[in-house]
Amino acid sequence: MITITLQEAQNQLPQWLQQIQQSHEIIRILDAGKPVADLVPASSSGNPLQPHEEIQHIQIHYDPVAPLLQDEWSEDSI
């Protein structure tokens, strides 16, 4: 991962975008030494919101965010 300052990003954005295209590396932008953004290569796999085909086959037959009942707590967590 490459880290650059906010000033460098503002002044040389075309060069950094070219760097990402060539190296497919992530560039982290820092403002006063703190991370504020990441420049990442665009996904070539199509729609990034489309679930992976393996995930489409998973079925959950319960509510994963429902609280556990008393008898569902493990002995170790009590």
Side-chain angles (χ1 to χ4, degrees), residues 60 62-68 72:
I60 299 175
Y62 64 93
D63 184 0
V65 296
L68 293 174
E72 293 176 314

Side-chain angles (χ1 to χ4, degrees), residues 5 9 14 16-17 19 26 31-32 39 41-42 44-45 47 50 67 73:
T5 65
W16 292 117
L17 293 176
Q19 172 76 21
I26 297 171
D31 186 17
L39 294 175
S44 61
S45 62
N47 183 355
Q50 173 89 16
W73 284 94

